[in-house]
Amino acid sequence: ETGVTQTPRHLVMGMTNKKSLKCEQHLGHNAMYWYKQSAKKPLELMFVYSLEERVENNSVPSRFSPECPNSSHLFLHLHTLQPEDSALYLCASSQRAGGGGNTIYFGEGSWLTVV
Amino acid sequence: GQNIDQPTEMTATEGAIVQINCTYQTSGFNGLFWYQQHAGEAPTFLSYNVLDGLEEKGRFSSFLSRSKGYSYLLLKELQMKDSASYLCAVMDSNYQLIWGAGTKLIIKP
């Protein structure tokens, strides 16, 4: 139990579907993140939210749409995805969005397969 | 560009010692992190180094040399449960985390 929970753990969707990934953190943190993890590649930062405000968007395609209704919840809305979007999507949180020694805590991830 | 290099895969024997190296070239440095990730699970925090030297935590130690852009994670008395991927990440001058691709460690009996 890392204090960051993600649902669903596994998702298979067609290219025309719309689905959402959900993340909840129970650590009282002020920053939340979405990362993409593909096999044998470094973690790719997608979005960063600090106190529910998006502070970073790393040139992510618009078919990925984040939503942060409060500092404990984060969503990733998915629509018209491509097969190359199949990956492990990790949610994470930290005390703040920047600063030295800012340790990030990850959820267990949502395995996404686009068919 | 910014770059983190670590070996793709390593194999070691139960009870032995293994050292996983990480070299980095980043714009600035605000600390280096090591994470452990078991297959299908969340990456979990292992260590943070911001000053040169060795930090020891039980069977795991992490070393940093800022002048050489180099770190290693040392695992002693290896156990089968240590089979996992180990991720190295450096925080740059903008406090952005730059990640390595991870080292898959296989422990054999």
Side-chain angles (χ1 to χ4, degrees):
Chain A
E1 175 60 48
T2 65
V4 181
T5 56
Q6 291 186 239
T7 55
R9 293 296 314 279
H10 298 272
L11 177 63
V12 179
M13 60 186 288
M15 289 189 281
T16 58
N17 290 160
K18 288 185 180 181
K19 298 284 184 183
S20 295
L21 305 180
K22 179 184 174 183
C23 177
E24 183 174 358
Q25 59 98 358
H26 312 275
L27 300 169
H29 287 164
N30 293 315
M32 295 189 77
Y33 309 77
W34 280 116
Y35 278 91
K36 177 182 178 182
Q37 188 174 36
S38 303
K40 300 185 180 180
K41 288 186 178 180
L43 287 173
E44 298 174 46
L45 178 64
M46 300 175 73
F47 301 103
V48 182
Y49 277 83
S50 176
L51 296 171
E52 303 127 57
E53 188 174 321
R54 189 191 301 181
V55 297
E56 186 151 347
N57 172 0
N58 281 352
S59 303
V60 178
S62 60
R63 57 186 184 268
F64 295 92
S65 174
E67 179 190 358
C68 188
N70 55 62
S71 59
S72 299
H73 293 86
L74 185 64
F75 295 89
L76 188 62
H77 303 300
L78 316 168
H79 62 99
T80 59
L81 294 191
Q82 304 298 310
E84 59 264 29
D85 296 323
S86 298
L88 178 66
Y89 289 84
L90 289 164
C91 175
S93 72
S94 65
Q95 187 61 50
R96 55 194 183 282
N102 188 34
T103 302
I104 289 181
Y105 297 87
F106 288 90
E108 293 193 345
S110 296
W111 285 97
L112 174 66
T113 303
V114 181
V115 297
Chain B
Q2 309 203 87
N3 194 48
I4 309 286
D5 284 315
Q6 48 181 135
T8 303
E9 188 174 298
M10 298 181 71
T11 302
T13 304
E14 191 177 15
I17 298 173
V18 71
Q19 178 175 308
I20 302 174
N21 295 327
C22 172
T23 58
Y24 62 90
Q25 295 107 30
T26 57
S27 54
F29 179 84
N30 277 302
L32 184 144
F33 294 82
W34 283 98
Y35 281 80
Q36 179 191 59
Q37 186 177 24
H38 286 102
E41 297 184 14
T44 55
F45 170 74
L46 286 178
S47 67
Y48 170 70
N49 294 67
V50 67
L51 299 176
D52 290 350
L54 188 68
E55 296 271 349
E56 296 186 73
K57 268 190 194 179
R59 294 188 299 115
F60 290 13
S61 303
S62 56
F63 171 83
L64 174 67
S65 169
R66 287 172 296 169
S67 62
K68 295 182 179 177
Y70 168 69
S71 173
Y72 66 73
L73 182 68
L74 191 71
L75 291 74
K76 301 177 185 175
E77 300 168 19
L78 286 170
Q79 303 175 8
M80 297 303 293
K81 67 178 182 180
D82 298 329
S83 292
S85 288
Y86 292 85
L87 310 180
C88 174
V90 172
M91 189 169 276
D92 69 10
S93 56
N94 294 319
Y95 298 103
Q96 302 294 316
L97 273 177
I98 313 301
W99 292 86
T103 298
K104 182 178 180 180
L105 178 63
I106 300 168
I107 309 296
K108 295 186 174 178

